[in-house]
Every structure is written in structure tokens, then in C-alpha cells.
Amino acid sequence: MLSSMADQGKELILQFAPFQSSVDEGFWHRLSSLKLNKLGIDESPIPITGFYAPCSHRQVSNHLTLLAESLPPESSEQSFTPAISRGNRNRCPVPGILYNTNTLEGFQALDKQSLLKAEAKKIWEDILSGEAEKDSSLLLRFLVVSFADLKNWSFHYWFAFPALILDPPTTVVDLKPAAQWFSVQEVESVTNACNEWRSMCSSTDVPFFLVSISSNSAVTVRHLAEFEACQRDGNKVLFGFYDPCHLPNNPGWPLRNFLWFIFRRWSLQKVQFFCYRENRGFADLELSLVGEASIPNSQELKDHQNMPNAVGWELNNRGKKAPRCISLAKTMDPTRLAIAAADLNLKLMRWRQLPSLNLNVLSSARCLLLGAGTLGCQVARMLMAWGVRKITLLDSGKVSMSNPLQQSLYTLDDCLNGGEFKAIAAVKSLRRIFPAVEAESVVMAIPMPGHPVLSQEENSVLEDCRHLNDLIDSHDAIFLLTDTRESRWLPTLFCANANKITITAALGFDSFLVMRHGAGPLGSSHETNEALNDLSAEIGTVSLTDNISGQRLGCYFCNDVVAPVDVNISKATGLAPIASSLAVELLVGILHHPSGISAKAEFANSNNSGDEQPLGILPHQIRGSLSQFSQMTLVGHASTSCTACCSTVVAEYRKRGLDFILEAINHPTYLEDLTGLTELMKSAGSFELDWDNETGDDDDEFAEI
């Protein structure tokens, strides 16, 4: 507010509303990155750019703001100055300097008065040299001192807006709203001229200007360099500036150095100034101010060659001349940033394309990956991309020299000294990729039928069976990603018994199979017990009658007429990413399908396409050929003689427990005998086929399957 001198009758001293600062979080992000990646311990001053705009609200002043782009780029190829685009009406660029220290003690020990004086000297030299007339933003130079504590993600900082002191001080003859100063005709002309000035890219961010009013009330807004031309035309001239202040009785801080510039440049004793303010992007002469300042007619000021004194350190939130401190630990921690970025990708997908996408179901789903090889590595990464955070990897192998080329979670370091266990190395890699993942490793071999065990090894094998069963019980979805058929048998049995979501991915030389197993034949063995978690409870209680066809979908072994034996599967490297992605897509589809694990097989362009879910169809099997670049969806219903998931096998397991498992492991034909496959193969071998050798010309007798 305006104040008077001690004695009444003297002119009022012109008082200015101080500049206020604002720092966007992005600035601290960029400063941290710049410090870590380029600056290191270098404490050299950093050129920065602040931004401000005219006041645009009757009750709120605009601030000088630092943004991420206020700092120079990190690339060493580019100059160490901020890359600022011009022509933004809401961002008038102002040059500044940043002094960032390496320690809090260094920050506190800075000679802040000397730094302020040095920056004020630049303003003074710009006035004397005429540079301020060419680039008026130089009158608004500012400085920031800071200490970036990157361990705790806290930042100490202090702004200074150097202002040259006029002594004796400037007095004000009159100060009122611009709408009351100008005539009615001039109000309209000034408004139009200012709006035009602000609409042009070449002038919209020029903070100081001239308002030239002719005798016929015609108004033009001009650059400072055109002052003499305005005087020659006999026009009335006001010195205008973008005023960030909203107060009705005080001009903003930019006027201080502007008055010094006017006095030194043109030796004017009386200055009419125009505090330009806006409302909703247009000139508001009710909010803007016009005043007349009187600069003392002092010969000493005219002859003043030494730099005048300066003030300008900003007060903190408590009104004290002291630095500020902000803690951004919650937003600056890399793990939190990674979580926020990953979640944002999925949220954008939901917001823009899939409103029904349930991110909570995905983030809470617990996935068990049996096999940490080519498929396991890819599936784990795809799961994280979909927002799955709880992943357990089980494998007994070690990383060999050939693995890193095909298995994306491993590097050469994992192969050294005999090789790290794959499960352990994979979990370490997942945590490096995404620190928020809740990944666990299990180093264990899966007991397999066709691999008899010695009597002294039985207890160890049975303990592995118990451990595997417990793991399957405690997870919501199980991926069978091992290299051999027989290693998938025991998990398939346990999953069928517990009614768990089970997805198999298998690779041939140039082909792949991805499929989801159907629900268990007898329901969950834990139906009478308390559910392990909400998701498992929801999956386990889905009624099998939801399947319209009334038939369960088959498992990986349902189309086999032999028990699993010791067979290795060769694979082509290019198939793994394709099969892995499809396997994860199947899981996401199951989790979002109303029928869950019991969802029937769906086909593209089928009769029930009207029931298609937002994520698309939910097939049973996807088989692809790399050599043919082809892919097809198939369905296979559960076999009553399946060696892994039929009711006979599951019932026998529930009856005999681990004794059943041990007998299946040690006796290769036991499962075939139990399920009737032995009799079936004998019957098939006794058939005699009578071939019809007659040929005909009617092609309609043949049908392509």
C-alpha cells in the first residue's frame, strides 16, 4: 500500500509489491538428473530461465516460475544454456542464474549479499550499455541459491530479485485504475492496442513497452527503442510493463529497475507508468493501474556512475528473510517414479480404450512361473508390463554361456563362476528393471514321471512335491514354461486339484502352443477352508455350469494317449516373445472374464461374438507356425482318460496323496493303467481296417478338415 512521509503534505513514497517465486516439481527432477548425469561435484553457476506473465486474477498475483525447461539440456553436444521457445503469452522468459552447492554447509556459507550485488551489477551494466533497451527482460534478472540433497530428496533454496535503489526515493503523484485515468475513447483504444500487442508472437512475451496516445485518442503499443519517434509525433507516452501484482494500490516489482532505466536513458523527472494486468487473457483496465512517478531532480543521480545499492532477497512463507526447504521424497524416489510411470501407462489405456480394465485385479494377482528359461524371462517381463507386481520364479538350472542371447533377463555376469541359479538371477534382474516388483525365487527341480528315484532320495523328492503344492496353493495363476513335457505333469495335476488358473506355453522348432487349462474336474480341494485371498476365492468358487457346453476345457495332456516320458523340446528363439505375450494376454483375459477359469472357448467371428469381452475373445488354444507365418485358435475338451486332470487321477491323488505321486514317478505305465489308456491302445492295435480301393470322380465325397 502507499505510505506518506512522516510530515503530512509531502508526496507519497512509491512502494512496490515484491516478486514471488514458484518452483515446479519438474525443475527439481531435471536439476537432480543434471546433477547426477552431468554436473557431478561442479558448483559452477548455471544459467536458468524463469517465466512470468501479467496478473490475471483480481485476488492472486502471478509468480516467477521455474519449470523443467528452465534448466539447460543434459546433452553435451548442446550449449549449456536453456533452450527456450519464444512467443508464449503466458511465459515471458526472464534470465537468471543458479548457484547449487554440494553440501548444506556450503549453501549456508554462501556470501549471499555479494551474489545479489553481482547480479545487480549486471542489470546496471545492461542499463548503461543500452542492452536493456534491446532486450528489456534483462531488467528482471534474478538469482537462486540452492542445495539439492539427493539422498533425502530435499531441496533448500532462496530466490533474489535484484532491484536498484533510487536515493532519494521515487514519489508518486497519482495512482488509480487505468479505466479512470483514460478517457472513454482512450480506454477502448488502449484495450484494443494491448490485446493486439499480446496476440503477436513477436511481442507477446516482451515485458516492457510504450503506450503512445495521439491527439485524436489513437493508441499504439511500441518497443522502448521507439520513444524518440513517439515524442517527435507529439504523442502522450506511458511506460508500460507486465505487472504480476494484483494489489490495487501498488505496482509490481518490475517497475523498480524500469524507473532507473528510464531516468538514466532519457533523464525524465516525471514518468507516467502503466501497470498492465489482464482478465481471462484480455486487457483489464479496471484491474490495471496508471500512475505518475516523480524522480528526484538530483544532479548526483544524473552523474551516478557507480552502481547503486540493491535489495531483493525474497521472504519465506513466514515473512522472514530466510531460505525455503521442500521435501519431494515421495515423488522424487526412483522407485516411486517408476511405479507412477508404469501405472500411468495402464491408466491411460483404461481411460482411453478400456474403461473396464481392472488394474487392482492385475496388481494383486500372484503369478507362479515354473521355468525361468526363454519363456519364463519373457513372461515375467510381459506380466510386469501389464501391472502384475507379485511374481515367483521356480527353476533348478544355472545360467550358461549360451543363455543371455535368448533369455532376456540374464547377462554375461550371470554366467561366470559356474553360473548363477536362473531363478535367483532372474529375480535380481526384475528388481533392477522395476524396483517395485515383489519377485521371489525358488531353486527346485520338479519331480517328473518317467524319472524313477532311489529309495534314499524319496524323502527329498516328496518334500519337493509338498513345496510345489504349497506354492501352487498360494498363487492365483500358474504358468507352465518348462522345457520338457514330463515336468509339466505334476503342476498340471496340482492345479487341476486346486482349480487354479493354469497357462501352458510350449515351443517346437518352428511352432508354438499357448493354451489355458480348464477348471478342475472335482472343484477346489479347499472349498471348505478359508480362501487364501480375495482373488483366489473369486476364482475358486466360479461354478462349472457357467460353461454353456457343459464340458470342461482340456489341459496340456488331454490329447495324449501316452503318459509323459523323458522328452526334451527344441525351440526357435523368435517364437518365445510371441508365445510369451499370448500367454500373458490369456491370463489378463481370464481375470477379466465373468466366468473366469470356466470361460468357454471363444473364436473370432463366432456365433456368440455378441458376448465378446472388451479385451477380445478368450480362446482355449493358440497354435502358430513360424515357417508358415500362421496362427490358429483351437479347442480341446477334457479327456476322461487324461493322465493329469481327469477325475480318476485327481480322485486317486486326493485319496492316496504323495504315495500316488511316488508310484507315478517310479512306474512309467502306472498312469496309463489307471486311466485306461493301456486297454485303449490294446484295443486300437487289434482293429483291422478294410480299405475301399475304388476311386471316383466326385470331389464332393471329400471334405477338408
Side-chain angles (χ1 to χ4, degrees), residues 452-462:
V453 296
L454 301 176
S455 58
Q456 60 266 32
E457 298 175 348
E458 286 185 0
N459 289 336
S460 175
V461 171
L462 293 178

Side-chain angles (χ1 to χ4, degrees), residues 392-617:
T392 301
L393 290 110
L394 182 150
D395 201 298
S396 62
K398 293 186 176 182
V399 184
S400 66
M401 287 293 181
S402 64
N403 291 153
L405 296 177
Q406 299 182 10
Q407 301 173 12
S408 60
L409 294 180
Y410 308 128
T411 65
L412 180 62
D413 290 341
D414 299 318
C415 310
L416 304 179
N417 302 317
E420 177 74 278
F421 282 108
K422 285 187 175 182
I424 296 174
V427 166
K428 291 179 181 178
S429 182
L430 290 178
R431 290 171 179 166
R432 285 194 297 268
I433 294 169
F434 187 65
V437 67
E438 300 175 32
E440 298 180 6
S441 61
V442 178
V443 179
M444 189 186 82
I446 299 175
M448 297 178 283
H451 293 249
V453 296
L454 301 176
S455 58
Q456 60 266 32
E457 298 175 348
E458 286 185 0
N459 289 336
S460 175
V461 171
L462 293 178
E463 183 59 33
D464 288 343
C465 292
R466 294 188 188 95
H467 192 188
L468 179 60
N469 189 50
D470 291 341
L471 286 170
I472 288 174
D473 277 347
S474 62
H475 287 76
D476 305 307
I478 290 80
F479 287 84
L480 308 187
L481 310 169
T482 55
D483 285 340
T484 59
R485 285 185 61 256
E486 66 272 21
S487 62
R488 303 170 194 259
W489 175 79
L490 187 57
T492 300
L493 170 61
F494 286 160
C495 290
N497 178 62
N499 204 32
K500 293 287 184 176
I501 294 177
T502 310
I503 296 173
T504 288
L507 304 179
F509 177 73
D510 65 349
S511 61
F512 67 85
L513 164 68
V514 178
M515 66 178 295
R516 58 185 174 99
H517 294 200
L522 304 178
S524 173
S525 62
H526 303 285
E527 286 176 349
T528 59
N529 298 329
E530 182 178 357
L532 293 172
N533 57 35
D534 293 340
L535 183 59
S536 291
E538 181 179 350
I539 295 169
T541 56
V542 172
S543 172
L544 298 182
T545 58
D546 288 344
N547 194 330
I548 297 176
S549 67
Q551 292 181 275
R552 289 192 305 115
L553 295 177
C555 75
Y556 178 66
F557 295 93
C558 278
N559 298 118
D560 291 331
V561 292
V562 293
V565 293
D566 187 5
V567 177
N568 286 316
I569 302 176
S570 60
K571 50 188 175 289
T573 304
L575 295 172
I578 302 173
S580 301
S581 299
L582 291 173
V584 175
E585 294 294 322
L586 275 184
L587 172 65
V588 177
I590 294 170
L591 293 178
H592 285 80
H593 198 284
S595 300
I597 191 175
S598 297
K600 63 183 180 180
E602 297 172 346
F603 298 88
N605 302 321
S606 60
N607 293 332
N608 59 349
S609 59
D611 298 330
E612 183 177 315
Q613 300 301 310
L615 287 170
I617 65 169

